[in-house]
Amino acid sequence: MKKLVTLKQISKELDISISTVSKAIRNHKEISLDTRKKVQAFAKLHNYRPNSIAVSLKNQRTKNIGVIIPEIVHHFFTTVIEGIEKVANSRGYNVIVCLSSESFEKEVVNMQTLVNGSIDGFLVSLSKGTQAKKDYHHLNEVMDQGMPLVMFDRVVDDIDCDKTIVDDTQAAFEAVSFLLETGCRKIALITTVDYVSVGKLRTEGYEKALQKQGIPIEPNLTIKIEDIENCEILINQLFDSQHFDGVFAVNEYFAVVAMKIAQKRGFKIPDDISFIGFTDGILSKCATPSLSSIAQHGTEMGEISAKMLIDRLEEKEDEFTHLTQIIKTTLVERESTKRLS
Amino acid sequence: MKKLVTLKQISKELDISISTVSKAIRNHKEISLDTRKKVQAFAKLHNYRPNSIAVSLKNQRTKNIGVIIPEIVHHFFTTVIEGIEKVANSRGYNVIVCLSSESFEKEVVNMQTLVNGSIDGFLVSLSKGTQAKKDYHHLNEVMDQGMPLVMFDRVVDDIDCDKTIVDDTQAAFEAVSFLLETGCRKIALITTVDYVSVGKLRTEGYEKALQKQGIPIEPNLTIKIEDIENCEILINQLFDSQHFDGVFAVNEYFAVVAMKIAQKRGFKIPDDISFIGFTDGILSKCATPSLSSIAQHGTEMGEISAKMLIDRLEEKEDEFTHLTQIIKTTLVERESTKRLS
């Protein structure tokens, strides 16, 4: 195997810090264009490859991929893992999963545990804790060591790496537009607190759809749920205080709980109130009535993310710039919404 | 740290194979009582500890626990992992999860991946593939290396290690007895193929409950589902060909699918047909009507299993013989069954 230059050697040779070299190679806008050009030219000349440090440190591949997800009792993440497993196994990689349990500290510990020779690269979906804290040093450190990282679903702009996302704003826009097109005029939104990126983006899509139809946004029609244990209480309060003919929920669990409450209060679904949930899982299919919901295609997201990571590892992807892949969502119509006339 | 004798040294000293020494120490009935006594006495004299090889090989603990589960899109296993995480984190251990995807080969690869310095001990629930093949060499090899192993839920008698199980036969017996006590006379059983240990044990419990009441077992009232994709077709065939007033299903998904089919065919639940499922998850709570089901207390199983493993690792448990802990199940009554009069 041809000897490859390391970030450390480039740093020494050009008298620039490792972190700056790493960012310059990744074409980070924080670094001046001059420095980026100089570092990239040197790196190219000396055959630097993004993961060369990881390779030279370990001298051998583990053929393991590390996955860090916020929680496991969440159908969407389990389908992503299914997709990751599928592609990884077909290409001879094994998958190791750690949970952050939505905690920043656990996410850091997990990355430290796995980076230490157990894996070749990371697939990460951020914890709520990390999103609230906006501290991404653990992700930058891993990348500065030359280990490829792909973020999926819960990503941030501040990290320059490969990403796979669904267009949450657009998906929510389409769902709420569908409710409007089928006759709903007052649509309640059941969402999460704002620091959860997907909750925020889905709220934006909801507002855009209303604005497009010239329908005023009524803040009292929105409830933001932080703790899932309280969701029944908060949804009951919404029913007590407001009248509405449509509900858009940012996950299927909130939607199904809201449907049960509506039925207990004597509302007919979809005649009195229509419901759409986000994430098309087993709950949507098994609910009575079955729930119309937005399929995020978690398996596909897992497959694409794993492919991006393995391509980087196997250096099939030679570009220094990173890609963001957007998964197209689809609205699966079931019994909880009216038909388009 | 006091120098500990290794299995290899005992083997050399007593001129017995390592595998025999390992089995003798674990008090395996395959080994003669004389040999067991001799090896155990020698081991005690020279301060052998079950995990001394692992310790001397690695010279340091990773403080990681490896968990291997058959699948992740299964609410029960995710609750077990929650329980494992809870205890492990509180005692300073990190949890690494690998999926066998019900495949023997993947289970072997996962164990080889993790045993190689990444973890201190294993928590394993067997894949369907391993149960069908009855090949447990990978589990024995890990234990022969002195690495502690705790099996949970899907266990086998042939492996001599710590175990955590629910009494599946008794739980099924109680569920079916409850259906009989509330007036059901013809009870259908929706189960899995026989080589899945829990499916087999639950079938036994079903049969025992009928026998106790002197009700003949009608083989046509039982369907065995191998591939979850086919479950709707098979359940529809059952409704086409048989009459029954109760259904006992070995998981909540089968039960909820059967309830939806019954409702589509115009049956009232529980008046015409009562339903009980196994595993009390989110589906049972969210179904309409909500499903009476057997809570296996997955979180508790995870907590107890993790505690057993960490106690072994930290040598709080000095016994050479292994323990089997039985988790008590409870029947959670909901809307899909009649009340006891």
Side-chain angles (χ1 to χ4, degrees), chain B residues 292-308:
Chain B
S292 297
S293 52
I294 296 165
Q296 289 165 283
H297 305 293
T299 312
E300 194 185 340
M301 178 176 271
E303 288 172 10
I304 290 175
S305 304
K307 186 182 175 303
M308 286 173 98

Side-chain angles (χ1 to χ4, degrees), chain A residues 64 72-73 75 78-79 81-82 85 89 94-99 101 106 109-110 113-114 118 253 256-257 260 263-264 282-283 285-290 335, chain B residues 64 72-73 75 78-79 81-82 85 89 94-99 101 106 109-110 113-114 118 253 256-257 260 263-264 282-283 285-290 335:
Chain A
N64 296 327
I72 204 165
V73 188
H75 187 73
T78 60
T79 58
I81 290 175
E82 278 198 311
E85 285 270 345
N89 293 339
N94 211 41
V95 178
I96 294 178
V97 181
C98 285
L99 308 183
S101 307
K106 262 217 82 183
V109 168
N110 282 334
T113 298
L114 293 183
S118 301
Y253 180 71
V256 169
V257 170
K260 285 204 89 132
Q263 285 171 310
K264 275 197 183 138
I282 205 165
L283 260 184
K285 290 181 200 92
C286 289
T288 307
S290 56
E335 298 162 354
Chain B
N64 295 328
I72 204 165
V73 188
H75 188 74
T78 60
T79 57
I81 290 176
E82 279 198 310
E85 285 271 343
N89 292 339
N94 210 41
V95 178
I96 293 177
V97 181
C98 285
L99 308 183
S101 306
K106 263 218 81 181
V109 168
N110 283 333
T113 299
L114 294 182
S118 304
Y253 180 71
V256 170
V257 170
K260 285 203 88 134
Q263 285 171 308
K264 277 200 182 135
I282 205 165
L283 260 185
K285 289 180 200 93
C286 287
T288 307
S290 57
E335 298 161 356

Side-chain angles (χ1 to χ4, degrees), chain A residues 286, chain B residues 231-232 235 239 252-262:
Chain A
C286 289
Chain B
C231 88
E232 276 189 59
I235 294 169
F239 274 91
E252 62 175 0
Y253 180 71
F254 292 168
V256 170
V257 170
M259 285 209 299
K260 285 203 88 134
I261 290 171

Side-chain angles (χ1 to χ4, degrees), chain B residues 177-248:
Chain B
S177 297
F178 183 86
L179 288 172
L180 293 168
E181 285 160 24
T182 53
C184 298
R185 279 301 161 264
K186 279 176 82 84
I187 299 171
L189 170 67
I190 306 178
T191 184
T192 58
V193 286
D194 278 339
Y195 61 75
V196 180
S197 58
V198 295
K200 194 178 167 192
L201 295 169
R202 289 168 197 171
T203 301
E204 281 174 23
Y206 161 85
E207 291 176 350
K208 272 189 188 173
L210 294 180
Q211 282 161 348
K212 198 187 165 196
Q213 296 297 322
I215 295 175
I217 293 158
E218 297 179 46
N220 291 337
L221 281 175
T222 294
I223 52 171
K224 294 181 183 182
I225 294 170
E226 177 149 26
D227 179 6
I228 200 164
E229 303 291 322
N230 293 333
C231 88
E232 276 189 59
I233 296 168
L234 290 169
I235 294 169
N236 266 306
Q237 286 171 355
L238 178 71
F239 274 91
D240 286 340
S241 63
Q242 303 294 321
H243 292 278
F244 44 88
D245 54 13
V247 170
F248 173 60

Side-chain angles (χ1 to χ4, degrees), chain B residues 128-147:
Chain B
K128 283 185 190 171
T130 306
Q131 291 186 315
K133 208 177 161 87
K134 294 183 197 295
D135 181 344
Y136 313 118
H137 77 276
H138 51 308
L139 303 161
N140 283 318
E141 272 172 21
V142 161
M143 285 193 297
D144 288 348
Q145 283 182 37
M147 185 168 276

